[in-house]
């Protein structure tokens, strides 16, 4: 068996003020066929796993492009086409192959391409022909499109949000692809439109029980894999929203029945799944009333992992106006402030303008009297078991608030974003993180309470009023019964 592996991924927020171009990918990772020669990182982990699993079987591996950019606005057309065409050229040169494995996102949109993953998979199928197995590893915040389903043999989405199971799902996809390529199974995929759009946090009930039950059903005879595509709410796409996906061994009717059962169960839980978030004042009142700390507040609308700039100041401004101290907050993406602090040096006290730089959704810039407590290069923070780089990182203190800023736009995954600089979170009353939910795996174990805050910003969780132009309004919570 000969294996071809490649990766291209970003999550497109159609309403983000930030375009996704060459610099965005180069700041993430771009490797031309040699990503697995470097250390395992968040973005390259599936390819490392696939190479290891193939080589243990003595199967040759041809590795192509790995390219990843932090979520932002639509990808520049020529950049997407350049990266896609590199993968296609490499696949043509590698033919014949038995298995094509692609690590993707599933919600990538470029100028002129509303379904980049479907376009790539379709072109891979045209090159490979009908026999080779084509498998796609997807983020659950994907748009599960007809082009993906029609041209892939297997699609497997991470089951967890936060996505701490990426390595497990990569191994699952490889095993499924190997079985299909060797003739032991005949995968058939069917999906079901749940007609709902909301955040589905798997650590909490009822999603925890739903995912566990879905996983247990994979042991049923003839069932190969089950997934739920949550959809990415801020991607203006005709198929945005939740879809259930079932893969069975040669039984299309069974796959359709199970996908429908999963989807109907998920829809029935919709009111319990979508938990209300307090506004900034309500969240701060709760945090200050708590008997113990730290209380972790999630600035969900300024999450770089959803395409937001990560420089919004709404929550920090309220903390400063109320005179709240003993707070740690981050990560603020502000390369200008980072440069100024590095120039001033550790220990310097200076006037510093922070945040609010990318547009109205970022709030007002804050003028602070700040002290530079620590400068660092090369730090990482864990996402699950995988490291993610932080770039140039600075700890400043202003008015009793410890603030982490950096020049490599990323959400806050783990306490290491603070502790790597020397900030003791155990002593804090409040810790504010710029993340929608991926922070949970790292921060919940140290928190006395976790509060998701309905802050203003680029990905405000007002799912009924996202200004779609491509998606019809027949979804919950836009309408109570979209199936009527």
């Amino acid at each position: 068996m000969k294996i071809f592996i490649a990766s291209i991924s970003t999550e497109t927020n159609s309403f983000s003020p930030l375009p996704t171009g060459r610099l965005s990918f180069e700041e993430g990772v771009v490797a031309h066929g040699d990503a697995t020669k470097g250390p395992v990182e968040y973005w390259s982990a599936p390819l490392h796993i696939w190479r290891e699993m193939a080589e243990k079987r003595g199967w040759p591996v041809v590795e192509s492009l790995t390219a990843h950019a932090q979520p932002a606005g639509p990808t520049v057309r020529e950049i997407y086409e350049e990266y896609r065409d590199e993968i296609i050229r490499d696949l043509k040169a590698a033919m014949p192959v038995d298995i094509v494995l692609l690590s993707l996102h599933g919600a990538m949109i470029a100028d002129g391409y509303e379904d980049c993953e479907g376009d790539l998979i379709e072109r891979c199928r045209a090159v490979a022909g009908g026999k080779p197995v084509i498998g796609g590893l997807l983020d659950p915040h994907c748009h599960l499109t007809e082009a993906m389903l029609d041209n892939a043999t297997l699609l497997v989405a991470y089951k967890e949000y936060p996505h701490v199971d990426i390595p497990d799902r990569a191994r699952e996809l490889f095993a499924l692809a190997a079985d299909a390529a060797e003739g032991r199974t005949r995968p058939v995929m069917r999906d079901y439109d749940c007609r709902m759009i909301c955040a589905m946090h798997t650590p909490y009930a009822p999603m925890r029980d739903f995912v566990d039950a879905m996983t247990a059903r994979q042991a049923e005879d003839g069932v190969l894999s089950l997934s739920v595509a949550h959809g990415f709410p801020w991607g203006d796409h005709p198929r945005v929203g939740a879809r259930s996906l079932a893969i069975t061994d040669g039984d299309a009717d069974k796959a359709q029945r199970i996908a429908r059962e999963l989807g109907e169960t998920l829809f029935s839980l919709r009111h319990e799944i979508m938990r209300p978030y307090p506004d900034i004042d309500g969240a701060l009142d709760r945090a200050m009333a708590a008997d113990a700390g730290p209380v972790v507040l999630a600035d969900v609308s300024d999450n770089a992992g959803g395409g937001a700039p990560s420089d919004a100041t709404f929550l920090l401004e309220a903390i400063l106006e109320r005179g709240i101290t003993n707070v740690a907050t981050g990560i603020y993406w502000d390369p200008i402030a980072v440069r100024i602090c590095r120039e001033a040096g550790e220990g310097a006290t200076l006037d510093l303008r922070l945040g609010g730089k990318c547009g109205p959704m970022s709030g007002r810039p804050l003028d602070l009297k700040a002290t530079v407590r620590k400068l660092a290069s090369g730090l990482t923070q864990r996402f699950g078991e995988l490291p993610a780089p932080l770039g140039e990182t600075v700890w400043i203190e202003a008015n009793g608030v410890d603030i982490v800023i950096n020049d490599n736009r990323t959400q806050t995954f783990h306490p290491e974003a603070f502790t790597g600089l020397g900030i003791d979170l155990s002593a804090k009353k409040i810790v504010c993180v710029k993340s929608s939910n991926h922070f949970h795996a790292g921060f919940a174990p140290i928190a006395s309470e976790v509060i998701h805050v309905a802050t203003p910003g680029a990905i405000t969780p007002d799912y009924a009023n996202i200004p779609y132009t491509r998606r019809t309004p027949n979804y919950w919570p836009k309408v109570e019964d979209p199936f009527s």
Side-chain angles (χ1 to χ4, degrees):
M1 291 289 165
K2 187 177 182 182
I3 314 296
F4 180 89
I5 60 175
S7 175
I8 179 171
S9 66
T10 189
E11 181 181 63
T12 300
N13 182 329
S14 302
F15 312 103
S16 173
L18 307 174
T20 303
R22 189 180 307 279
L23 295 177
S24 297
F25 281 97
E26 290 176 349
E27 186 178 61
V29 61
V30 177
H32 301 282
D34 59 357
T36 58
K37 292 182 180 179
V40 177
E41 293 185 343
Y42 171 45
W43 318 120
S44 63
L47 274 71
H48 280 271
I49 290 168
W50 294 337
R51 176 176 286 282
E52 179 184 358
M53 293 181 74
E55 291 179 347
K56 281 184 177 179
R57 296 174 181 232
W59 294 353
V61 178
V62 177
E63 181 177 346
S64 182
L65 177 76
T66 295
H68 174 84
Q70 276 288 348
T75 298
V76 175
R77 180 179 186 134
E78 66 182 50
I79 302 305
Y80 165 63
E81 290 178 340
E82 175 185 326
Y83 290 156
R84 175 203 66 194
D85 292 349
E86 179 176 341
I87 294 172
I88 297 303
R89 283 196 307 272
D90 289 348
L91 179 57
K92 288 178 178 178
M95 291 299 295
V97 302
D98 301 286
I99 298 173
V100 176
L101 295 179
L102 303 171
S103 179
L104 307 168
H105 184 281
M108 182 180 180
I109 299 171
D111 302 329
Y113 298 91
E114 68 179 11
D115 176 17
C116 293
E117 291 87 354
D119 175 62
L120 175 62
I121 294 171
E122 185 173 11
R123 290 170 187 267
C124 286
R125 178 59 72 193
V127 171
K131 185 177 179 180
V133 172
I134 298 180
L137 183 65
L138 301 175
D139 188 297
H141 297 112
C142 61
H143 313 308
L144 197 59
T145 69
E146 292 178 349
M148 297 182 204
L149 291 162
D150 289 345
N151 292 283
T153 314
L154 296 156
L155 297 170
V156 171
Y158 321 145
K159 288 181 168 59
E160 302 293 341
Y161 179 39
H163 308 328
V164 294
D165 62 327
I166 294 174
D168 291 337
R169 300 288 76 74
R171 296 183 188 101
E172 175 186 337
L173 178 59
F174 184 96
L176 291 170
D179 284 347
E182 293 183 324
R184 286 189 291 274
T185 60
R186 296 181 297 112
V188 177
M189 296 193 291
R190 293 293 184 270
D191 73 319
Y192 177 79
D193 183 0
C194 305
R195 299 189 188 180
M196 57 187 285
I197 298 175
C198 66
M200 304 181 196
H201 300 162
T202 60
Y204 305 106
M207 279 304 295
R208 180 70 269 147
D209 292 339
F210 177 87
V211 170
D212 290 344
M214 179 178 69
T215 302
R217 289 199 69 175
Q218 292 184 157
E220 292 181 15
D221 185 46
V223 177
L224 300 179
S225 177
L226 302 175
S227 301
V228 167
H230 300 193
F232 181 59
W234 299 276
D236 192 6
H237 190 281
R239 286 169 72 96
V240 63
R243 287 178 178 268
S244 50
L245 173 66
I247 308 177
T248 60
D249 187 2
D251 191 336
D253 290 340
K254 184 172 187 175
Q256 191 65 71
R257 174 176 57 80
I258 294 175
R260 184 183 184 95
E261 290 171 359
L262 289 173
E264 289 178 343
T265 299
L266 189 69
F267 185 79
S268 73
L269 299 170
R270 65 196 182 282
H271 292 286
E272 300 168 66
I273 290 170
M274 193 159 77
R275 301 175 298 114
Y277 297 167
D279 62 13
I280 289 175
D281 285 331
L284 291 175
D285 289 344
R286 277 175 58 181
M288 294 305 294
D291 293 331
V295 177
V296 173
L297 303 183
D299 186 355
V300 301
S301 300
D302 194 35
N303 170 22
S310 199
D311 74 336
T313 57
F314 301 105
L315 182 54
L316 177 56
E317 184 174 25
I319 288 169
L320 295 172
E321 286 179 349
R322 290 175 60 153
I324 300 173
T325 59
N326 200 21
V327 175
T329 181
I331 306 166
Y332 291 80
W333 180 59
D334 195 331
I336 296 173
V338 168
R339 169 64 183 268
I340 292 171
C341 291
R342 292 181 66 202
E343 201 82 303
E346 291 184 6
T349 297
L350 69 160
D351 295 320
L352 185 68
R353 174 162 284 193
L354 177 68
K357 292 181 170 64
C358 289
M361 291 182 290
S362 295
R364 298 185 301 176
L366 301 180
D367 292 309
L368 308 173
K369 178 71 72 173
T371 300
V372 180
R373 298 297 186 194
K374 185 70 175 179
L375 304 171
S377 300
L379 296 180
T380 63
Q381 58 172 339
R382 273 174 288 169
F383 180 40
E385 62 187 64
L386 305 171
L390 290 169
E392 299 293 336
T393 313
V394 180
W395 164 20
I396 62 172
E397 186 272 327
N399 301 91
V401 178
D402 293 312
I403 304 167
V404 175
I405 58 179
N406 79 343
D407 67 349
N408 183 13
R409 190 170 65 90
T410 183
Q411 66 180 293
T412 315
F413 289 125
H414 195 275
E416 289 167 343
F418 296 93
T419 59
L421 290 162
I423 300 172
D424 181 8
L425 297 183
S426 66
K428 298 299 178 186
K429 178 68 175 178
I430 297 173
V431 176
C432 303
V433 296
K434 287 187 175 292
S435 176
S436 296
N437 199 49
H438 284 329
F439 72 91
H440 193 277
F443 283 87
I446 70 165
S448 63
E449 183 179 5
V450 173
I451 303 173
H452 294 75
V453 188
T455 49
I459 53 171
T460 304
D462 183 7
Y463 304 105
N465 295 300
I466 296 173
Y468 297 122
T469 65
R470 302 284 292 135
R471 207 255 188 250
T472 57
N474 64 328
Y475 68 90
W476 182 87
K478 185 75 172 179
V479 295
E480 179 56 34
D481 185 5
F483 293 98
S484 63

